[in-house]
Amino acid sequence: MIWRRNQSNGRNRARIKFLWLAGCLVLAGGLAGCANSEKPRAESETPNAVTVGVTRIGRKTLERELTVSSELVPFQEVDVYAKESGYVHDLLVDYGTRVKKGQVMAVLEIPELEVQLHQDDAAIQNASNQVTHAEHELGRVEAQHKVLHLQFERLNGVA
C-alpha cells in the first residue's frame, strides 16, 4: 500500500510540473505577441513583394475528359502463307479471328493449277484408254492363239 501511495504521489507531482510548465509557455507566448508594437507595413513599402492570384472557392465535380489516339496491338500475330500463289476465292475468317490448327481460312483460285489439273485428268483418261485398248488387243491375240492352236491340233491329228 505504501508503495502505491508513493507511486501515485510521483504521478501527481509530474502532472503538476507539466501543467506549470505549459502555463508558463502560454504566458510567455502571449507576452511576446503583445510586445510587438510596430505597425504593419503596406505592401508597396516592401521591396521584395510577391503578387499572388486569388480565386473564389466553389463546388465543382472533379472530372476530366482526355482524348488520346492509340492503336490496338494484338497479343500474338502470326504470318500465314499459302503453299501456292493464286487469287483468294473465298475468305472464311476475318482479321482478328481466332483459328485452330487445320481450320480452312481461305479458298484460293489458282488458274495455272487448274490448267495443270485438266492436263493431268486428260493424261489419266488417255492412260485409261490405252489400258482398255491393250486389254482388247490381248483378247484379240488370245482368240487368234486359240484358233491357231485348234488348227494345229486338227492338222497334228491328221498327220
Side-chain angles (χ1 to χ4, degrees):
M1 289 282 209
I2 295 172
W3 180 72
R4 283 189 184 175
R5 193 175 346 145
N6 288 340
Q7 187 179 12
S8 65
N9 281 342
R11 284 186 188 166
N12 286 338
R13 285 183 192 166
R15 286 182 189 162
I16 290 171
K17 284 182 184 178
F18 176 73
L19 291 175
W20 185 78
L21 182 61
C24 288
L25 287 174
V26 170
L27 183 62
L31 291 176
C34 292
N36 190 4
S37 61
E38 288 185 31
K39 293 182 180 177
R41 290 191 226 171
E43 289 182 9
S44 62
E45 293 178 6
T46 59
N48 295 333
V50 177
T51 306
V52 178
V54 179
T55 304
R56 290 221 176 252
I57 298 174
R59 288 184 177 236
K60 292 182 180 178
T61 57
L62 295 176
E63 181 179 318
R64 280 190 185 169
E65 186 173 316
L66 180 64
T67 303
V68 179
S69 62
S70 64
E71 179 182 351
L72 292 176
V73 179
F75 175 72
Q76 183 180 18
E77 187 172 322
V78 178
D79 293 329
V80 178
Y81 298 100
K83 291 181 181 179
E84 297 288 331
S85 61
Y87 304 103
V88 177
H89 182 29
D90 283 332
L91 185 61
L92 305 175
V93 294
D94 195 13
Y95 184 77
T97 305
R98 290 184 183 223
V99 294
K100 296 178 182 174
K101 183 178 180 181
Q103 179 180 351
V104 176
M105 295 169 44
V107 177
L108 296 179
E109 184 176 302
I110 307 170
E112 296 86 11
L113 192 59
E114 288 180 15
V115 169
Q116 187 178 1
L117 283 173
H118 289 301
Q119 288 175 350
D120 291 344
D121 287 341
I124 289 171
Q125 184 66 35
N126 186 19
S128 175
N129 289 340
Q130 286 178 358
V131 168
T132 306
H133 178 70
E135 286 175 349
H136 290 241
E137 187 67 26
L138 178 65
R140 187 185 64 76
V141 169
E142 284 178 349
Q144 232 178 9
H145 174 266
K146 193 184 258 184
V147 168
L148 290 174
H149 186 66
L150 287 173
Q151 281 180 355
F152 170 76
E153 296 237 348
R154 188 175 51 99
L155 288 173
N156 194 19
V158 175

